[in-house]
Amino acid sequence: MGVKSKAALAILLLLLFLGTLWLHGGLDYHWDACLKGYNQVNEPHQLSNSSASKESEGPQVLEECPGQTFQVSLLLTHLLASPAFTSDVLLQPYLSSWDELVKFMNALGPMVGLISKEIETKTSIIRELALLAEASPEAEVNPDSENTVSPEAGVKTSGAYHSVRSMIWVELKRGLVDFKQQTDSGCRTLLRLHRALLWLKLFLAKLAEIPVAGRLKSPSDLCREAYKVTLANHHTWFVRRAAELAFIAMPERSFFLKLMCVQNQEELSAVLGRVVRAIGVVYDRTQKALEDNDMLDLP
């Protein structure tokens, strides 16, 4: 095996290792594939002229992009369905948003796609916990959020894991959250997803920027910048170096135009602006729920 072949193999092994460390910065539990709960209802990819689509910039309706697995319209639909009441987040559309974000990362190539495998594992953990809770006849639920209707989502929700705050309430009541060591709680898993969501939010926001002067930065540089101020704060030196290798393989900007079904940077900025704002609402509500319960530093 030549030197170049050995180097390529070493990089691939390093990135495979990165995939298991990405969200937590160290060796974590290795989970088997979990049952996929919350069977996703076939939803239209077009957005109606709801409150979130009354924005002045960009098209009021996002059309389905033919021939693609990732659909930005579907991502935005799930994000807009996630907020509930004044400060909560519904877990079903939240996890469905992650399903679409996983497709987004997979579309960026095998190196970035390795990261999405860890995210899929974590969404599966929460889904299985929800299924187990539904199957348990003695499952407690937060009396303040049981059998309620989310005006944003327009659906009736109930159960221990129907929202971020109900999950937190139930897991604290059952003693499932350990503030000193790692556990398989939904709250700890949510925190890892929450940190990754901030990374993607900042990356997409940077990708949407239109500089007043000068050339546009490459997506690789933008992703690296977003990583340094988010997930890098929770990673070891080794993981940070391995992340740099994944960013090198990031596609060029023209690829993102095609992925978002737009023609130019102005259209890309309009579409991503809507996505970033929707992510921001979900992120801020989740951040507040975790902060209210001192869960921002769960091991």
Side-chain angles (χ1 to χ4, degrees):
M1 182 181 293
V3 175
K4 290 184 178 180
S5 298
K6 291 181 179 179
L9 178 60
I11 291 175
L12 179 59
L13 292 175
L14 190 61
L15 288 171
L16 284 170
F17 185 50
L18 166 66
T20 64
L21 299 177
W22 182 261
L23 297 181
H24 34 71
L27 288 174
D28 201 354
Y29 294 110
H30 291 280
W31 299 91
D32 293 328
C34 298
L35 294 176
K36 291 287 185 178
Y38 288 132
N39 290 330
Q40 186 173 309
V41 178
N42 291 329
E43 301 179 50
H45 288 202
Q46 292 187 354
L47 297 179
S48 61
N49 292 326
S50 60
S51 58
S53 61
K54 293 179 180 177
E55 302 168 17
S56 58
E57 65 271 45
Q60 296 303 302
V61 176
L62 294 183
E63 303 287 347
E64 179 180 352
C65 194
Q68 291 189 174
T69 302
F70 167 73
Q71 296 290 337
V72 65
S73 58
L74 189 54
L75 170 60
L76 194 51
T77 297
H78 294 317
L79 289 170
L80 294 176
S82 297
F85 318 109
T86 58
S87 61
D88 208 353
V89 174
L90 297 175
L91 280 176
Q92 179 173 340
Y94 174 82
L95 295 175
S96 294
S97 299
W98 269 116
D99 291 341
E100 208 61 30
L101 286 170
V102 164
K103 296 176 186 176
F104 169 76
M105 287 185 285
N106 286 339
L108 303 185
M111 297 307 178
V112 180
L114 288 171
I115 301 166
S116 67
K117 299 301 181 184
E118 183 68 15
I119 291 176
E120 283 187 290
T121 299
K122 294 195 176 300
T123 57
S124 295
I125 291 171
I126 297 179
R127 281 175 164 136
E128 180 167 330
L129 289 171
L131 289 175
L132 292 174
E134 289 178 4
S136 176
E138 71 278 2
E140 306 105 330
V141 293
N142 188 339
D144 295 329
S145 61
E146 182 182 9
N147 296 325
T148 52
V149 175
S150 164
E152 293 88 346
V155 296
K156 187 174 182 179
T157 58
S158 62
Y161 286 79
H162 87 269
S163 74
V164 167
R165 287 189 178 271
S166 69
M167 178 179 70
I168 292 174
W169 188 89
V170 167
E171 291 199 338
L172 285 175
K173 186 176 179 63
R174 295 179 181 174
L176 299 177
V177 183
D178 195 315
F179 290 84
K180 295 182 180 180
Q181 60 184 1
Q182 294 181 358
T183 65
D184 56 355
S185 69
C187 293
R188 179 185 181 276
T189 304
L190 176 69
L191 176 60
R192 270 59 189 178
L193 292 172
H194 182 63
R195 291 170 178 173
L197 188 61
L198 180 60
W199 162 59
L200 287 174
K201 174 180 177 289
L202 264 60
F203 170 53
L204 294 177
K206 289 176 178 292
L207 197 61
E209 291 177 354
I210 302 178
V212 177
R215 58 180 300 188
L216 293 168
K217 290 185 178 181
S218 70
S220 176
D221 289 339
L222 296 177
C223 194
R224 184 180 298 106
E225 291 174 3
Y227 172 79
K228 286 182 178 179
V229 297
T230 54
L231 284 174
N233 296 322
H234 308 285
H235 288 170
T236 63
W237 179 92
F238 176 81
V239 175
R240 292 196 299 271
R241 298 289 78 76
E244 294 289 331
L245 296 177
F247 299 146
I248 292 175
M250 188 77 67
E252 295 299 322
R253 187 175 293 267
S254 59
F255 177 85
F256 289 90
L257 297 179
K258 180 180 179 182
L259 190 61
M260 298 294 171
C261 259
V262 296
Q263 301 298 318
N264 51 53
Q265 179 62 35
E266 288 72 21
E267 292 182 7
L268 180 66
S269 297
V271 171
L272 288 183
R274 296 172 66 181
V275 173
V276 169
R277 283 188 290 275
I279 291 177
V281 172
V282 173
Y283 178 87
D284 291 344
R285 286 170 175 236
T286 307
Q287 175 80 4
K288 185 66 166 58
L290 293 170
E291 184 178 9
D292 288 346
N293 293 277
D294 299 320
M295 291 183 174
L296 292 177
D297 296 307
L298 288 177

